[in-house]
């Protein structure tokens, strides 16, 4: 959710309480702002804009330009995650994807973690899974993938799910391009056909210039029919917990604000 205010643009962070934060009045503004807005407004952090209308067009490179870009890229990185040019004109390299998932994911019940050999086998997910268990992936989990320039965004999503043995429908997820510019963060959802390694090459190795994020595919309206009965029941329990936590936080912030106002009233002399 994006909250637009006259002097800032802030992102509402879920699952993070700002109770107890020290607030300060924005300079040159004589407004009474509710504490939960103040906490986000002056509490710091990067400003974030999703789907901002900026130029996302990428140039088409010639083979000579690709070779030059790869040389420049390899000369700038501080690790061994190099890109390499293939004889057929394609190139291989690594991308890093940060997983920012809010909802739990489903994995086969009572199944061991995949080995390196397992993850290199066919990406087929055709086997039906009768028993599942759901869990939350650790916050801000990061995974490196070694891919080819022709690998598209949908294939990256499938590879990530397979790495973690997630059996949910890949259409529930989306790959985003994240860019930092002028102290703002821009997010753009990649189409299924876009090639992440090509975007990585064009942007260079800088994480500020470009990074990739896997998130839930929020299309505006959730297709609840795509979820199983245990998943739907689990979502209801999660919503209940989140609602109770948000209510508690709001009540706590309003109580704190009311106390401060009452303290100010008792210290002031009438007239």
């Amino acid at each position: 959710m994006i909250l637009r205010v006259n002097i800032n643009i802030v992102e509402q962070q879920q699952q993070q309480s700002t109770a107890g934060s020290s607030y300060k009045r924005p300079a040159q503004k004589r407004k009474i702002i509710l504490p939960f807005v103040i906490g986000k407004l002056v509490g710091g952090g990067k400003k974030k804009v999703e789907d901002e209308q900026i130029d996302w067009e990428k140039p088409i490179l010639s083979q000579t330009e690709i070779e030059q870009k790869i040389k420049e890229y390899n000369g700038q990185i501080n690790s061994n995650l190099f890109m390499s040019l293939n004889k057929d004109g394609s190139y291989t390299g690594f991308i890093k994807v940060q997983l920012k998932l809010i909802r739990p994911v489903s994995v086969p019940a009572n199944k061991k973690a995949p080995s390196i050999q397992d993850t290199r086998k066919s990406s087929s997910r055709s086997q039906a899974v009768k028993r599942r268990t759901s869990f939350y992936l650790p916050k801000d989990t990061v995974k490196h993938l070694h891919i080819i320039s022709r690998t598209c965004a949908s294939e990256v999503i499938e590879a990530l799910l397979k790495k973690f043995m997630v059996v949910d429908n890949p259409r529930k997820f989306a790959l985003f391009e994240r860019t930092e510019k002028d102290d703002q963060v821009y997010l753009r959802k990649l189409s299924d056909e876009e090639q992440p390694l090509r975007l990585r090459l064009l942007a260079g190795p800088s994480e500020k210039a470009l990074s990739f994020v896997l998130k839930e595919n929020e299309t505006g309206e959730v297709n609840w029919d795509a979820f199983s009965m245990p998943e739907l029941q689990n979502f209801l329990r999660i919503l209940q917990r989140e609602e109770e936590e948000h209510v508690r936080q709001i009540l706590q912030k309003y109580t704190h604000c009311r106390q401060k106002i009452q303290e100010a009233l008792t210290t002031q002399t009438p007239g």
Side-chain angles (χ1 to χ4, degrees), residues 16-32:
Q16 179 176 352
S17 172
T18 56
S21 300
S22 57
Y23 306 129
K24 56 185 179 182
R25 189 188 303 268
Q28 299 178 345
K29 293 289 180 181
R30 301 281 299 176
K31 289 186 179 181
I32 298 175

Side-chain angles (χ1 to χ4, degrees), residues 3-10 24-31 33 37-38 41-42 47 183-184:
L3 178 63
R4 297 188 181 275
V5 187
N6 289 341
I7 61 174
N8 210 336
I9 301 174
V10 291
K24 56 185 179 182
R25 189 188 303 268
Q28 299 178 345
K29 293 289 180 181
R30 301 281 299 176
K31 289 186 179 181
I33 308 177
V37 176
I38 296 176
L41 189 60
V42 302
K47 295 176 286 184
D183 200 32
Q184 290 187 350

Side-chain angles (χ1 to χ4, degrees), residues 25 63 70 99 125 147 176 194 207 209 259:
R25 189 188 303 268
Q63 192 63 27
I70 291 176
L99 280 68
R125 298 164 57 87
I147 61 175
F176 287 80
E194 288 191 78
E207 290 292 319
Q259 290 174 348

